Amino acid sequence: MNQQVIPKMKTIKQCFEEIKTLDPNTAITQWFIRCLCKDNKVKHFMTGTKILVNFDDLIQYLNNA
């Protein structure tokens, strides 16, 4: 039986806040996350005026950078 995993889709601000919670002294900024999306380095899509980022993909990218 195939079990599908629903990706954690978050706004850039939500991604930043989650990272800040995990690492209060992080150097990651909202602008950096936005640039990763613009450069297609993390999975994301536009919905209206918001960018929704695949949070798991963002964390994976940061762990492999």
Side-chain angles (χ1 to χ4, degrees), residues 2 8 15 17 21 28 39 57:
N2 279 343
K8 297 176 196 163
C15 288
E17 289 170 354
T21 300
I28 302 295
D39 294 341
D57 192 56

PDB file of all heavy atoms in Angstrom, residues 2 8 15 17 21 28 39 57:
ATOM      1  N   ASN A   2       0.692   2.113  -0.982  1.00  0.00           N
ATOM      2  CA  ASN A   2       1.467   3.354  -1.074  1.00  0.00           C
ATOM      3  C   ASN A   2       0.910   4.390  -0.119  1.00  0.00           C
ATOM      4  O   ASN A   2      -0.266   4.719  -0.167  1.00  0.00           O
ATOM      5  CB  ASN A   2       1.437   3.926  -2.496  1.00  0.00           C
ATOM      6  CG  ASN A   2       2.433   3.239  -3.394  1.00  0.00           C
ATOM      7  OD1 ASN A   2       3.344   2.572  -2.908  1.00  0.00           O
ATOM      8  ND2 ASN A   2       2.277   3.393  -4.683  1.00  0.00           N
ATOM      9  N   LYS A   8       5.438  19.675   3.760  1.00  0.00           N
ATOM     10  CA  LYS A   8       5.174  20.828   4.628  1.00  0.00           C
ATOM     11  C   LYS A   8       5.413  22.084   3.801  1.00  0.00           C
ATOM     12  O   LYS A   8       6.551  22.465   3.551  1.00  0.00           O
ATOM     13  CB  LYS A   8       6.105  20.816   5.833  1.00  0.00           C
ATOM     14  CG  LYS A   8       5.925  19.639   6.739  1.00  0.00           C
ATOM     15  CD  LYS A   8       6.959  19.696   7.838  1.00  0.00           C
ATOM     16  CE  LYS A   8       7.063  18.351   8.516  1.00  0.00           C
ATOM     17  NZ  LYS A   8       8.288  18.237   9.299  1.00  0.00           N
ATOM     18  N   CYS A  15       8.938  29.701   7.178  1.00  0.00           N
ATOM     19  CA  CYS A  15      10.189  28.927   7.106  1.00  0.00           C
ATOM     20  C   CYS A  15      11.251  29.569   7.982  1.00  0.00           C
ATOM     21  O   CYS A  15      11.933  28.889   8.760  1.00  0.00           O
ATOM     22  CB  CYS A  15      10.693  28.846   5.665  1.00  0.00           C
ATOM     23  SG  CYS A  15       9.733  27.777   4.590  1.00  0.00           S
ATOM     24  N   GLU A  17      10.851  31.600  10.536  1.00  0.00           N
ATOM     25  CA  GLU A  17      10.499  31.482  11.954  1.00  0.00           C
ATOM     26  C   GLU A  17      10.778  30.075  12.486  1.00  0.00           C
ATOM     27  O   GLU A  17      11.248  29.915  13.611  1.00  0.00           O
ATOM     28  CB  GLU A  17       9.040  31.873  12.164  1.00  0.00           C
ATOM     29  CG  GLU A  17       8.806  33.358  11.988  1.00  0.00           C
ATOM     30  CD  GLU A  17       7.345  33.760  11.957  1.00  0.00           C
ATOM     31  OE1 GLU A  17       6.458  32.860  11.959  1.00  0.00           O
ATOM     32  OE2 GLU A  17       7.074  34.972  11.928  1.00  0.00           O
ATOM     33  N   THR A  21      13.485  29.066  15.337  1.00  0.00           N
ATOM     34  CA  THR A  21      13.123  28.268  16.507  1.00  0.00           C
ATOM     35  C   THR A  21      14.132  27.141  16.716  1.00  0.00           C
ATOM     36  O   THR A  21      14.545  26.868  17.841  1.00  0.00           O
ATOM     37  CB  THR A  21      11.710  27.666  16.348  1.00  0.00           C
ATOM     38  OG1 THR A  21      10.777  28.736  16.198  1.00  0.00           O
ATOM     39  CG2 THR A  21      11.323  26.821  17.540  1.00  0.00           C
ATOM     40  N   ILE A  28      20.674  32.521   8.681  1.00  0.00           N
ATOM     41  CA  ILE A  28      19.714  32.446   7.572  1.00  0.00           C
ATOM     42  C   ILE A  28      18.727  33.597   7.702  1.00  0.00           C
ATOM     43  O   ILE A  28      18.247  33.893   8.796  1.00  0.00           O
ATOM     44  CB  ILE A  28      18.953  31.102   7.590  1.00  0.00           C
ATOM     45  CG1 ILE A  28      19.916  29.922   7.508  1.00  0.00           C
ATOM     46  CG2 ILE A  28      17.900  31.031   6.497  1.00  0.00           C
ATOM     47  CD1 ILE A  28      20.681  29.819   6.232  1.00  0.00           C
ATOM     48  N   ASP A  39      16.265  31.316  -7.474  1.00  0.00           N
ATOM     49  CA  ASP A  39      17.268  30.553  -8.222  1.00  0.00           C
ATOM     50  C   ASP A  39      16.869  29.089  -8.416  1.00  0.00           C
ATOM     51  O   ASP A  39      17.673  28.289  -8.903  1.00  0.00           O
ATOM     52  CB  ASP A  39      18.619  30.623  -7.504  1.00  0.00           C
ATOM     53  CG  ASP A  39      19.197  32.030  -7.487  1.00  0.00           C
ATOM     54  OD1 ASP A  39      18.780  32.877  -8.309  1.00  0.00           O
ATOM     55  OD2 ASP A  39      20.068  32.294  -6.631  1.00  0.00           O
ATOM     56  N   ASP A  57      12.340  20.270   1.780  1.00  0.00           N
ATOM     57  CA  ASP A  57      13.346  20.448   0.734  1.00  0.00           C
ATOM     58  C   ASP A  57      14.330  21.556   1.119  1.00  0.00           C
ATOM     59  O   ASP A  57      15.535  21.433   0.882  1.00  0.00           O
ATOM     60  CB  ASP A  57      12.665  20.772  -0.604  1.00  0.00           C
ATOM     61  CG  ASP A  57      13.624  20.686  -1.773  1.00  0.00           C
ATOM     62  OD1 ASP A  57      14.250  19.616  -1.951  1.00  0.00           O
ATOM     63  OD2 ASP A  57      13.761  21.686  -2.501  1.00  0.00           O
TER      64      ASP A  57
END
